Amino acid sequence: MPEIISYSLLALYILGMLIILGYSLALGHLLLGFWKSKRAGERTPSDPIEWPRVTVQLPIFNELYVAERLLDAVTKIDYPLDRLEIQVLDDSTDETSDLIQKKIKEYAGFPFVYVHRTNRQGFKAGALKEGLAEAKGDFIAIFDADFLPTSDFLKKTIPYFQNDHVGMVQTRWTHLNEKHSLLTRLQAFALDAHFTIEQVGRNTLGAFINFNGTGGVWRKTCILDAGNWEDDTLTEDLDLSYRAQKKGWKFVYRPEIHSPAELPPIMSAIKSQQFRWNKGGAECAKKHAQSVLSSKFSLKTKLHAVAHLFNSSIFLVILMVSLASIGVAWMGLNGFSSSWTQIAGLFLFGFAIIALVYFVSHLYSRKRFWASLVESLLILPVFLSVSMGMALHNAQAVWEGLSGKKSPFIRTPKFNLESGKSNLKTNRYLKFSMPLTTWIEGGLSLVFFIMVLLAFRYEYFLFLPFHAMLAFGYGLVFITSFRSYSLGK
């Protein structure tokens, strides 16, 4: 019986490594697409003869700390006022509504349209859909409350719609508070890879890309043709993106157009955001994967779409591999020796490709090469460790998404700490209670730390780097989670 268990764990470990390898090869191909785009150069369309009507939608729900900042920013947008409409889609249930209406009155004559719903039916998707029904613009720009649209945003994005087949233009997120803490630096490191490598690579290779929920512009007819906003997933942006592209609409991603935004500064807020993103991604995979595979798109497009849709599922695999590695390492500690030990190289190869993607993205997203090189070498192992330490939390989200378990849309708290008008201790939106998984993360950190000690005790070092990163990653996630959840009490 022990041998059956041991070899079952080995089989799970090898299966997980092969999936990780496949995931890394897809990322590697996107990296090649990114380099291809650099060789091709950039082509910027000329301004239209007449600027079209544009509606800017601002979905807001209880945003006391950032609502005013957002409204101030949109009034600075450089665009003909007779061609512009700003829809403030306010679902707030607190003083945010009064604050917004007061702020709007300060800009008399500016084309604000205030829409307040008495219920949150459909959450953000519902607010966008109701606003769309009244929108006067032919194009719809969307900004979440934690964003600061630049003054030239519309004049840089709208020209791309002169191609009638373009249904959406997405811009790159940049970070207002990247240097606030280690956690914000790690988030910026991850998002830069998505916006620098993945989005560029997919767009260059003709694969499906996604509207990121904010910092982008839609053609109104594209939204309607694709079936309008739906609220049956937690990532309505990814869902609509796939429905539109399956109908033949073209998407454009422009990394040189920036949309600055705030990063969550504490782990409880990060986990809330990650849970929604990962569960919603899994829900969209369940909703769209089969139809994409049975479509007439090329095999390359289909494979990238599957990798894209099941992107969040990699956390299930990482959790499986990390837990199975305990048993496999125990086999090695007890003298089992066979060719399986060499298969670990497959994981290391995939791991190296993933690391390369993040390494390159950091170098290209920064202006100073040598400083960025040193920073990448320092932050990369920490980032990979914490990403693995998030596997339990994110795997739960993915499992719920794939299994069909529904949950409400939980907004990510905003802070605007840099303004000095708020702080972590007084933030009224920190109401998260600490889940059981946080204690399990602490336990897993201890387990992997013991595995590190056993590696030195028995001089068996095959899994030492992997287990050391897991011990550190789960430990850091546990400590930062414990501290942040206590803020809500």
Side-chain angles (χ1 to χ4, degrees), residues 81-189:
L81 291 186
D82 63 335
R83 308 264 89 192
L84 185 63
E85 175 187 46
I86 310 294
Q87 280 189 342
V88 183
L89 306 176
D90 181 25
D91 282 3
S92 298
T93 57
D94 65 4
E95 306 94 293
T96 303
S97 296
D98 295 331
L99 183 150
I100 290 173
Q101 293 179 75
K102 182 180 179 181
K103 173 60 67 171
I104 289 176
K105 289 179 181 178
E106 294 180 12
Y107 294 101
F110 197 80
F112 277 116
V113 176
Y114 179 72
V115 181
H116 184 251
R117 299 199 304 169
T118 56
N119 65 73
R120 291 191 71 203
Q121 183 176 356
F123 304 104
K124 180 182 175 181
L128 294 173
K129 186 174 182 178
E130 288 196 25
L132 188 70
E134 304 297 328
K136 298 177 181 177
D138 298 313
F139 300 93
I140 311 295
I142 301 172
F143 289 100
D144 284 347
D146 51 337
F147 275 69
L148 283 181
T150 58
S151 60
D152 59 357
F153 178 85
L154 291 179
K155 286 195 172 180
K156 284 186 174 180
T157 54
I158 293 299
Y160 288 95
F161 288 102
Q162 293 178 87
N163 180 340
D164 292 337
H165 298 290
V166 172
M168 192 279 296
V169 175
Q170 175 66 50
T171 65
R172 176 187 167 190
W173 296 3
T174 54
H175 322 294
L176 294 169
N177 60 335
E178 176 180 353
K179 296 182 179 179
H180 175 78
S181 67
L182 174 62
L183 291 181
T184 54
R185 289 177 184 272
L186 293 175
Q187 291 174 83
F189 194 76

Side-chain angles (χ1 to χ4, degrees), residues 210-268:
N210 61 291
F211 169 57
N212 291 104
T214 175
V217 185
W218 285 86
R219 189 186 297 271
K220 185 178 180 179
T221 53
C222 172
I223 298 176
L224 297 174
D225 182 54
N228 215 324
W229 297 101
E230 296 180 356
D231 62 356
D232 56 346
T233 74
L234 291 179
T235 47
E236 71 291 324
D237 44 12
L238 179 62
D239 172 40
L240 183 60
S241 297
Y242 266 75
R243 285 189 279 121
Q245 288 170 103
K246 285 192 292 185
K247 297 210 70 171
W249 288 97
K250 304 298 181 184
F251 282 12
V252 172
Y253 174 67
R254 299 313 311 171
E256 77 281 1
I257 307 175
H258 295 175
S259 293
E262 174 185 301
L263 296 165
I266 59 174
M267 184 56 78
S268 59

